[in-house]
Amino acid sequence: QVQLVESGGGLVQAGGSLRLSCAASRNINSLNAMDWYRQAPGKQRELVAGIVRGGSTNYADSVKGRFTISRDNAQNTVYLQMNSLKPEDTAVYYCHAVERVLVSRYDYWGQGTQVTVSS
């Protein structure tokens, strides 16, 4: 089991920045991947950015060049730096982790943090 706790959300004007944090309850090196998803009202949850154990990253096209995902293994924390925020980035942002043990896959989710971008 892994508990994930997000923080850093809030209200920001368009063009501003926020940094989200996701603190894990244990060593994130044991996890295969960690991601940030978001869900806007009336829309499906979508993948925003991900980072795998080896350090490779991937981003949704809508956030490429504006968002950066990173990890601090010593702090067991993953970050999402969000710059040049747009009103369409408004959503609840969720931290997600994947752990594979033999043939089993385990998915863990945080409780979410609200990001609101005003125009």
Side-chain angles (χ1 to χ4, degrees):
Q1 272 282 11
V2 178
Q3 281 74 50
L4 303 173
V5 179
E6 302 101 332
S7 61
L11 173 64
V12 64
Q13 288 189 330
S17 298
L18 283 174
R19 188 177 80 157
L20 305 183
S21 300
C22 172
S25 60
R26 60 177 173 88
N27 187 351
I28 61 174
N29 278 322
S30 65
L31 302 171
N32 295 84
M34 295 190 73
D35 314 292
W36 286 96
Y37 281 75
R38 67 185 180 188
Q39 187 166 21
K43 294 190 176 181
Q44 288 191 331
R45 192 172 295 191
E46 62 174 355
L47 177 65
V48 176
I51 185 166
V52 297
R53 184 186 292 164
S56 296
T57 59
N58 63 285
Y59 297 91
D61 288 343
S62 59
V63 306
K64 280 181 182 175
R66 300 189 297 122
F67 291 11
T68 302
I69 188 170
S70 62
R71 58 194 292 164
D72 183 333
N73 293 332
Q75 298 294 323
N76 293 324
T77 300
V78 172
Y79 301 99
L80 185 67
Q81 178 66 44
M82 306 186 295
N83 299 327
S84 302
L85 283 161
K86 304 175 181 180
E88 51 263 43
D89 294 318
T90 295
V92 178
Y93 284 70
Y94 296 92
C95 183
H96 168 254
V98 176
E99 182 178 32
R100 291 189 173 91
V101 180
L102 299 178
V103 297
S104 299
R105 170 180 167 139
Y106 301 92
D107 289 82
Y108 306 102
W109 292 91
Q111 82 287 352
T113 185
Q114 176 71 46
V115 171
T116 303
V117 184
S118 63
S119 57

